[in-house]
Amino acid sequence: MCRMILSATTTTAHHRNGRFPIKIAPLLLLCLLSAINALTITTFNILAPVHRSMNALNHRESEREDWWLPRAEGVAEYISKKFSSSDVILLQEWWFDERFNTVFD
């Protein structure tokens, strides 16, 4: 049986050089045609630190490592435990900060 957590047939992947669409429908077809090997896809919104407001002065979580690092480590741990059986994990709202990337490696 295929388990998929998807909100649409086409989603957008983020890359340092911009955005490009990923067609999900072929993956779904592949999964449905394979009775033996199911493909599980999970998508999870991590709320990038550059988008999270921290106080009334509109400071961003990304401004201070002591704000974003504990939450990022918790999110990474949650994802690795909760979705460890997924074949593909798509993370939404990715932040391309090098220190942030190492948390999820």
Side-chain angles (χ1 to χ4, degrees):
M1 174 181 219
C2 291
R3 289 186 309 131
M4 292 189 153
I5 303 171
L6 298 173
S7 59
T9 57
T10 302
T11 189
T12 302
H14 297 273
H15 188 269
R16 292 172 200 238
N17 298 330
R19 294 176 160 188
F20 53 93
I22 295 175
K23 300 295 183 185
I24 297 298
L27 293 176
L28 178 60
L29 180 61
L30 175 67
C31 183
L32 294 175
L33 293 176
S34 173
I36 298 172
N37 295 320
L39 175 66
T40 58
I41 300 174
T42 301
T43 182
F44 190 82
N45 188 319
I46 61 173
L47 181 58
V50 295
H51 299 303
R52 186 172 185 224
S53 296
M54 294 301 290
N55 54 34
L57 298 175
N58 205 26
H59 287 283
R60 297 296 173 176
E61 184 182 45
S62 60
E63 293 175 22
R64 295 179 45 182
E65 187 172 302
D66 61 320
W67 286 348
W68 66 260
L69 183 59
R71 187 174 70 86
E73 290 172 337
V75 169
E77 183 177 343
Y78 175 82
I79 290 168
S80 68
K81 288 180 180 177
K82 181 78 173 175
F83 305 120
S84 63
S85 63
S86 292
D87 297 311
V88 178
I89 300 174
L90 305 171
L91 299 177
Q92 301 170 37
E93 292 200 27
W94 187 256
W95 185 33
F96 288 100
D97 179 88
E98 284 186 39
R99 295 168 297 164
F100 185 80
N101 290 325
T102 60
V103 173
F104 290 87
D105 280 343

